[in-house]
Amino acid sequence: MASRPRILIWVAFFFFFEFVFCESVIDPDAPECTKRWIHIRRLPTRFNLDLLTNCSEYPVFDDFCPYLANHGLGQKTHNNSHSWYRTDPLMLELVFHRRMLEYPCLTSDPSAADAIFLPYYGGIDAIRYLFGPEVNSSFEHGLELYEFLQQDSPEVWSRNGGHDHFTVLARPAWDFSQSLDNDPPIWGTSFLELPEFYNITVLTLESRPWPWQEQAIPYPTSFHPASLVLLDSWVQRVRRSRRTTLMLFAGGGGTSLLPNIRRSIRSECENSSNSENSTRITGGYSKLCYIVDCSNGICEHDPIRYMKPMLQASFCLQPPGDTPTRRSTFDGILAGCIPVFFEDLTAKSQYGWHLPKEEFREFSVFIPKEDVVFGGQRILDVLMGIPRAEVRRMREKVMELMPKILYRKHGSSLGLRTRKDAFDIAVDGTIDRIKSRLQKVSLK
């Protein structure tokens, strides 16, 4: 468990890095930084680092102190691990902040910046409204931040009305979209419903379909290589892995009596196990279907539990759960396991920067959940009908996506930095979106 003294050391580390990197401009004439300059807004620590010191003080919410290690990557899965960590998705705000401090085009002058990053740990701050004593005042989430932005160097915000600002919220956007009119409050906070923040770009784990300012970025997996050698070594392991299982589902749910896609998957998988005993399986598979039971969150911080089976499967089923998106989508891609989606909101309409819509047919399979749940469509029939040559092509495309959906470790080698990861792509997309938005605003 992360001790309070250790957390305070991390706080001091961030102060040092912000001083070193944010108080200087590396080279104002650097051609690679043209129209790519970012200013990190210096916020009081109550908006970020102080929130980490309360990591064990929410009795309804899990103690997240162990996942603060390694600047949000979590503890290593084992002592000899070089790339694998027990990463919690909620720590993406911390991971992103740490990586921003290494961004090569930082400027201390906000007026020279093309984008301004707010290092606000909004998802962590939301815990006190979602699970803590301030649940009945969740409509106030974000107001204190806005007041600070108006009082401290207000010209930075007013220059473009917040259109050039961006931040990261490491939760689904739905957790921040409670209507301001709800009385009494229901689940969620109202951060994204505050008119004060309508103009900023918000990077979330899952976006809603309509707001222009929201953009989903990949869930962090547990794989964070620090060098090109470590990444290439994993890619080769994935390529050599024998795929002895046709399809796999890693997750919970599906035990309800009501019809739903997870229940249909479990039923089909159980029936396929019975048929395996009496039918010869073709295609070189020893199993048609395998379920990694992740009920009650037992897989969340234990990647070994699901990554090994994923390495042995050709297809990984990605049904929606409480919300449409799943971290498992990115775990599966990391294992070279071809994703099978059942609705577009799970990935296609979410992660356009990292998983281009026009390429989905090249690396994934889509089966409408209604066809499975109510139409009698067997998932196995669809997957077994795909030619083996096509499966190999799809897997190669999945492997091409791997570097784009992982977050490499901070302080990684120069060689690895030549390959853009999820962070790099998110920053590029954010700058381009802000640039486009400012152009539209200027024409009004």
Side-chain angles (χ1 to χ4, degrees):
M1 177 175 172
S3 64
R4 185 178 180 84
R6 185 175 298 177
I7 292 172
L8 294 177
I9 291 174
W10 294 335
V11 171
F13 177 88
F14 267 102
F15 274 137
F16 172 75
F17 264 73
E18 285 196 321
F19 177 80
V20 171
F21 287 98
C22 299
E23 292 300 319
S24 61
V25 175
I26 299 174
D27 179 2
D29 299 318
E32 68 274 13
C33 292
T34 303
K35 301 297 183 181
R36 319 300 286 182
W37 291 106
I38 292 179
H39 172 73
I40 300 179
R41 190 73 186 265
R42 179 164 292 179
L43 301 179
T45 56
R46 67 179 182 272
F47 293 117
N48 42 50
L49 302 178
D50 286 354
L51 298 171
L52 306 182
T53 64
N54 301 323
C55 56
S56 63
E57 297 181 10
Y58 300 96
V60 180
F61 189 77
D62 288 340
D63 176 0
F64 62 88
C65 296
Y67 314 118
L68 298 176
N70 295 299
H71 303 283
L73 301 183
Q75 299 169 342
K76 292 184 177 182
T77 53
H78 53 276
N79 291 335
N80 295 326
S81 174
H82 296 292
S83 303
W84 291 91
Y85 300 82
R86 302 188 187 279
T87 305
D88 190 289
L90 183 62
M91 296 300 107
L92 180 58
E93 294 159 356
L94 180 56
V95 172
F96 209 94
H97 187 187
R98 178 63 181 84
R99 285 288 305 279
M100 277 302 309
L101 298 178
E102 297 180 355
Y103 181 69
C105 302
L106 293 180
T107 175
S108 59
D109 181 5
S111 65
D114 301 289
I116 296 175
F117 174 59
L118 295 176
Y120 171 50
Y121 299 172
I124 296 176
D125 194 23
I127 296 175
R128 60 191 170 110
Y129 298 106
L130 300 176
F131 302 98
E134 300 180 51
V135 64
N136 291 323
S137 57
S138 55
F139 60 91
E140 297 179 353
H141 183 208
L143 289 178
E144 187 180 0
L145 173 64
Y146 182 73
E147 290 173 1
F148 169 79
L149 296 174
Q150 295 302 299
Q151 295 170 4
D152 183 82
S153 302
E155 70 280 0
V156 177
W157 177 272
S158 61
R159 182 175 62 135
N160 289 302
H163 284 289
D164 53 355
H165 285 56
F166 73 101
T167 193
V168 178
L169 295 177
R171 286 182 174 276
W174 301 100
D175 288 355
F176 307 97
S177 56
Q178 177 188 178
S179 173
L180 292 167
D181 299 327
N182 284 337
D183 187 17
I186 56 175
W187 171 260
T189 80
S190 301
F191 184 90
L192 293 178
E193 294 298 314
L194 294 175
E196 292 86 345
F197 287 118
Y198 277 172
N199 293 342
I200 70 171
T201 297
V202 181
L203 307 180
T204 64
L205 295 178
E206 177 180 316
S207 63
R208 295 173 292 172
W210 58 91
W212 71 265
Q213 72 267 43
E214 297 171 19
Q215 174 63 44
I217 59 177
Y219 284 77
T221 66
S222 291
F223 183 60
H224 309 284
S227 70
L228 195 57
V229 171
L230 291 172
L231 173 60
D232 288 343
S233 175
W234 174 254
V235 171
Q236 292 306 314
R237 178 180 177 182
V238 172
R239 180 168 280 114
R240 294 193 304 266
S241 183
R242 292 184 63 246
R243 307 285 166 167
T244 56
T245 301
L246 176 61
M247 70 181 193
L248 173 143
F249 169 57
T255 58
S256 170
L257 295 178
L258 297 176
N260 63 74
I261 183 61
R262 294 196 176 206
R263 182 187 178 195
S264 296
I265 288 172
R266 284 187 178 273
S267 176
E268 183 170 341
C269 203
E270 290 169 0
N271 291 336
S272 70
S273 298
N274 295 331
S275 65
E276 287 172 6
N277 298 326
S278 56
T279 306
R280 182 174 177 272
I281 302 175
T282 59
Y285 298 110
S286 59
K287 290 183 180 178
L288 290 175
C289 181
Y290 184 73
I291 291 181
V292 179
D293 191 353
C294 293
S295 301
N296 302 316
I298 61 174
C299 298
E300 287 183 2
H301 307 111
D302 187 6
I304 297 175
R305 188 183 293 268
Y306 53 83
M307 287 303 296
K308 285 188 176 181
M310 283 181 170
L311 284 167
Q312 298 170 350
S314 281
F315 297 94
C316 284
L317 310 184
Q318 305 297 349
D322 295 334
T323 66
T325 63
R326 308 188 70 216
R327 168 179 169 166
S328 177
T329 296
F330 303 101
D331 292 324
I333 291 175
L334 196 59
C337 191
I338 301 167
V340 179
F341 298 117
F342 301 91
E343 63 176 51
D344 285 342
L345 282 173
T346 300
K348 189 174 184 180
S349 62
Q350 296 279 349
Y351 306 104
W353 292 350
H354 298 79
L355 305 175
K357 288 184 178 181
E358 63 275 11
E359 298 179 9
F360 260 69
R361 286 180 175 271
E362 300 176 31
F363 68 83
S364 68
V365 177
F366 180 73
I367 308 173
K369 62 183 179 182
E370 295 80 6
D371 292 356
V372 177
V373 177
F374 302 111
Q377 174 67 66
R378 293 181 75 243
I379 302 170
L380 285 169
D381 289 343
V382 175
L383 301 183
M384 293 182 75
I386 301 175
R388 296 182 68 179
E390 179 65 16
V391 172
R392 287 192 292 270
R393 283 194 295 270
M394 295 174 75
R395 183 174 301 116
E396 284 300 316
K397 183 62 178 179
V398 168
M399 295 180 67
E400 288 179 19
L401 295 172
M402 286 168 53
K404 301 177 182 179
I405 58 91
L406 62 83
Y407 295 88
R408 67 174 180 264
K409 187 180 181 182
H410 50 269
S412 57
S413 69
L414 293 177
L416 185 56
R417 296 186 191 193
T418 61
R419 299 191 186 182
K420 290 192 174 183
D421 72 341
F423 169 86
D424 297 321
I425 294 171
V427 171
D428 286 348
T430 298
I431 293 176
D432 291 342
R433 174 170 291 188
I434 288 174
K435 187 187 307 180
S436 174
R437 184 65 180 171
L438 289 175
Q439 290 174 346
K440 292 178 181 178
V441 170
S442 66
L443 294 175
K444 291 184 178 180

